Amino acid sequence: DGERYPEFTLSAPFGASGVRRLVAKYDLVIVAPDGRALIFDWKTSRRRSPQSRLARRLQTRVYPYLLVQAGADLNGGRPFEPGQIEMVYWFADFPDRPERFSYNAAQYAEDGGYLAGLLEQIATLSLGNGIFPLTEVEERCLFCVYRSLCDRGAAAGSLDEIEFDEPELDFAIEIDLDFEQIAEIEY
């Protein structure tokens, strides 16, 4: 039971300068009458990711963190406490085996520091010129739709053919968007 927010996007200023934004598009957020928030993310791959890999995903850190930072409008104007949030991965091919991650204040603090560190790492990697070094682990490029831009193949492989777990990313990519200039999309 609760208020449902499907395909919901949240964003908030992030970093010391507040110039950058943290953005997430949630598959589903349910806010229970008691103020708890459940974040659901569906996975449609044929293989079920192990719990340890899901725990390390950036998504597992960003989604709850951002809901604490910017989700007050979903909670009657009151910010969520980290302990009120749970993230649930639901697998279409394994519907009876969801993976659940409770959130807490310690994880929230750790995630804030980790994300700030990633932001600094991105700034350092680009050396201020917007050019990033290519990964030395070329198998990460096998399914990238942009691989031709880096001269690492003409086309990405089909994700249905993927035979390895998703790669661990060493950094995130900043997207500079002017949210005031983006028109709403009707579904």
Side-chain angles (χ1 to χ4, degrees), residues 139-173:
E139 66 182 14
R140 291 180 176 173
C141 305
L142 292 175
F143 300 94
C144 177
V145 296
Y146 304 107
R147 67 187 297 200
S148 63
L149 298 174
C150 302
D151 295 322
R152 293 198 167 172
S158 169
L159 289 177
D160 292 334
E161 300 168 11
I162 196 165
E163 293 187 15
F164 58 88
D165 281 337
E166 59 191 54
E168 293 291 320
L169 298 179
D170 296 330
F171 58 89
I173 298 172

Side-chain angles (χ1 to χ4, degrees), residues 63-104:
Y63 280 26
Y65 181 86
L66 186 57
L67 193 57
V68 171
Q69 286 288 305
D73 285 347
L74 305 181
N75 195 26
R78 294 178 312 277
F80 288 104
E81 294 295 324
Q84 293 177 289
I85 296 174
E86 183 177 9
M87 174 118 182
V88 180
Y89 286 102
W90 183 82
F91 302 88
D93 282 355
F94 307 92
D96 297 331
R97 293 178 47 208
E99 200 63 63
R100 304 175 87 91
F101 293 90
S102 296
Y103 206 56
N104 59 50

Side-chain angles (χ1 to χ4, degrees), residues 43 48-64 87-89 91 99-103 107 110-111 114-115 165-166 168:
K43 297 297 180 198
R48 187 176 186 283
S49 297
Q51 192 262 352
S52 59
R53 177 160 299 278
L54 290 170
R56 292 189 310 265
R57 285 184 58 105
L58 198 53
Q59 185 177 26
T60 306
R61 300 184 95 160
V62 170
Y63 280 26
M87 174 118 182
V88 180
Y89 286 102
F91 302 88
E99 200 63 63
R100 304 175 87 91
F101 293 90
S102 296
Y103 206 56
Q107 186 65 50
E110 182 180 321
D111 290 344
Y114 177 77
L115 294 170
D165 281 337
E166 59 191 54
E168 293 291 320

